[in-house]
Amino acid sequence: MSQQVEVRLFGAFRQYSRDAAIAVTLPESATVTNLREAFADALEDDNARALLKASAFATDEAVLDEDDSVPEHGRISILPPVCGG
Amino acid sequence: MSTHVKTTDQPLSAEAALEFCSAPGHGAADLFIGRVRDLNQGREVEGVSYDLHSVLCERVFAEICAEAREEWGEPLHIWLEHRHGRLGVGEASVIAAVSSPHRDESFRACRYLIEQMKHRAPIWKQEHYVDGDSEWVQGHALCQHG
């Protein structure tokens, strides 16, 4: 079984896709590490892959750790380094 | 005690923040306004576009406010708002305000809000320069992986 996960794009990631999200396919019970690898494969730009290394995945509730499971339901976002204010 | 957090695409109001951060027993109120400036690292800026994850951002704002209350006291009134969308030079991007019985708590808590917000809240800014170029500003990484 595999699952389709839509990753919402924010900040500098927005320049790498016409859409506000990139969809990736993951195995069932995937971790954030699996998600990071699949997302990197989906990116076509070396600068985007470099940005990914400094970026975090998050749900609407919290930033995820690399060992966390990817929620089967719920929205996932990729958060590049932040700079509010 | 009272806390207000919000993200909005509408202009921010310092008057509303100060009205919220007010109580008969509060002898101090501290207000911070972050504004778009016209120069950054030698480049002339004509505007900034703010992008944010509104749901997570308001959660992080609430966490930061709770931490400030834990550190500097239950009576605090706390206000934290951040704007998104394109702003021109001089427009307010963020307003933090705190009131308390005495000034020390207000000063310290207000500074805490703004510093933590800059390091933890999912907000991004793209500067638009007078020469027509635009760039996303470098920030603080939220991830801790190797």
Side-chain angles (χ1 to χ4, degrees), chain B residues 86-109:
Chain B
R86 181 162 177 153
L87 280 65
V89 170
E91 288 192 88
S93 58
V94 59
I95 291 182
V98 178
S99 65
S100 58
H102 304 287
R103 67 183 180 280
D104 191 51
E105 294 87 346
S106 286
F107 274 125
R108 289 173 185 266

Side-chain angles (χ1 to χ4, degrees), chain A residues 5 8 11 23 40-41 43 45 49-51 63 66 68 85:
Chain A
V5 175
R8 298 169 68 201
D41 290 342
L43 296 171
D45 188 291
R49 281 190 281 271
L51 181 62
V63 175
E66 292 301 298
D68 286 342

Side-chain angles (χ1 to χ4, degrees), chain B residues 59-110:
Chain B
R59 283 181 182 272
V60 172
F61 281 7
E63 288 174 9
I64 293 169
C65 292
E67 292 161 9
R69 187 178 304 288
E70 174 88 14
E71 181 70 24
W72 289 287
E74 281 298 308
L76 298 184
H77 286 199
I78 305 174
W79 176 284
L80 184 56
E81 283 194 348
H82 203 295
R83 191 170 167 192
H84 60 92
R86 181 162 177 153
L87 280 65
V89 170
E91 288 192 88
S93 58
V94 59
I95 291 182
V98 178
S99 65
S100 58
H102 304 287
R103 67 183 180 280
D104 191 51
E105 294 87 346
S106 286
F107 274 125
R108 289 173 185 266
C110 195

Side-chain angles (χ1 to χ4, degrees), chain A residues 8-15 36 52-63 65-66 75 77-85, chain B residues 34 50-56 59 63 82 93-94 117-125 136-146:
Chain A
R8 298 169 68 201
L9 307 178
F10 289 94
F13 274 110
R14 289 190 186 275
Q15 66 194 310
R36 186 177 295 278
L52 175 61
K53 292 179 181 174
S55 301
F57 289 92
T59 64
D60 282 354
E61 286 76 38
V63 175
D65 292 329
E66 292 301 298
R75 299 193 300 180
S77 301
I78 181 72
L79 311 180
V82 300
C83 55
Chain B
Y50 287 89
D51 185 21
L52 54 80
H53 185 311
S54 60
V55 176
L56 187 55
R59 283 181 182 272
E63 288 174 9
H82 203 295
S93 58
V94 59
M117 180 278 296
K118 289 183 81 74
H119 285 82
R120 293 163 54 184
I123 303 170
W124 304 272
K125 57 185 173 188
W136 290 95
V137 178
Q138 302 272 333
H140 305 278
L142 294 175
C143 56
Q144 297 178 337
H145 64 277

Side-chain angles (χ1 to χ4, degrees), chain A:
Chain A
M1 285 285 287
S2 61
Q3 57 174 323
Q4 185 92 351
V5 175
E6 192 172 81
V7 180
R8 298 169 68 201
L9 307 178
F10 289 94
F13 274 110
R14 289 190 186 275
Q15 66 194 310
Y16 299 117
S17 174
R18 289 181 183 174
D19 302 319
I22 291 176
V24 296
T25 302
L26 297 174
E28 199 174 14
S29 304
T31 65
V32 171
T33 298
N34 300 136
L35 172 59
R36 186 177 295 278
E37 291 166 355
F39 191 76
D41 290 342
L43 296 171
E44 297 175 353
D45 188 291
D46 287 342
N47 290 328
R49 281 190 281 271
L51 181 62
L52 175 61
K53 292 179 181 174
S55 301
F57 289 92
T59 64
D60 282 354
E61 286 76 38
V63 175
L64 297 169
D65 292 329
E66 292 301 298
D67 294 337
D68 286 342
S69 297
V70 176
E72 291 185 16
H73 305 288
R75 299 193 300 180
I76 300 291
S77 301
I78 181 72
L79 311 180
V82 300
C83 55

